Amino acid sequence: MILCRLYETIFIARPEADDEAIEKVHGRILKALEQNGGIELKLVNWGKRRLAYDIAGNRKGNYFYMGYIASPTVVEELQRQLKLSTDVIRYHTARLGDLKPLTAFDVEVERKRVESWTPEREEDEEEQYLRRRDRGDRGDRGDRGDRGDRYDRGDRDYND
């Protein structure tokens, strides 16, 4: 009897990594998961985002979310695979439940649960910028017009 948990792993790939490199990383992770009796529930590409701080000389990274059911030993192998990949610059795994037999999981129910927990991909910062630029939206001024009327002077006397 294999005891498993629900896990989620978020990993950040180099921004220069192409789709083929990402597919290779995902294939290695999926192979390790399936060989050891784990089940992938969801993989989402959250897109390219600016990092809070530079990691290995990168200012941006391509974020991925993966939800799955696996035993603790499988998680160690997945993390080893992520660590070996030169395209992955960071990863983090969180366990989401208690250990129970693999047969106790209803895969479709767990898939729906993971679907409800995780947002889909949002528009990248670059895509937002290009959309605003194409539309002529400044994005930083709101309804103020020119910068001269920034302060509401109202009825106040500023000479007091």
Side-chain angles (χ1 to χ4, degrees), residues 26-134:
H26 179 243
R28 287 176 28 197
I29 292 171
L30 194 58
K31 182 179 175 185
L33 189 65
E34 290 174 350
Q35 283 180 345
N36 296 298
I39 302 168
E40 180 184 38
L41 300 175
K42 183 177 184 179
L43 176 72
V44 181
N45 179 350
W46 279 344
K48 198 178 292 183
R49 299 276 180 238
R50 192 172 44 131
L51 301 170
Y53 52 88
D54 287 2
I55 301 174
N58 295 296
R59 295 183 149 261
K60 292 186 177 187
N62 205 357
Y63 282 70
F64 291 87
Y65 169 88
M66 184 175 165
Y68 53 96
I69 299 170
S71 68
T73 56
V74 175
V75 175
E76 291 173 9
E77 176 61 21
L78 293 180
Q79 290 178 343
R80 189 180 78 78
Q81 292 293 334
L82 289 169
K83 192 175 190 177
L84 289 174
S85 175
T86 57
D87 293 317
V88 176
I89 56 177
R90 277 287 192 275
Y91 61 88
H92 179 76
T93 300
R95 60 178 183 224
L96 302 176
D98 296 328
L99 282 172
K100 55 185 177 181
L102 182 59
T103 55
F105 286 98
D106 184 355
V107 175
E108 290 307 313
V109 170
E110 296 300 334
R111 268 202 181 102
K112 288 179 184 175
R113 185 182 307 172
V114 169
E115 288 282 334
S116 70
W117 288 342
T118 57
E120 291 299 323
R121 179 179 183 194
E122 295 177 3
E123 197 173 56
D124 289 345
E125 292 168 349
E126 292 174 15
E127 292 170 352
Q128 289 175 2
Y129 169 76
L130 293 174
R131 186 174 41 80
R132 280 196 316 257
R133 186 189 70 187
D134 292 344

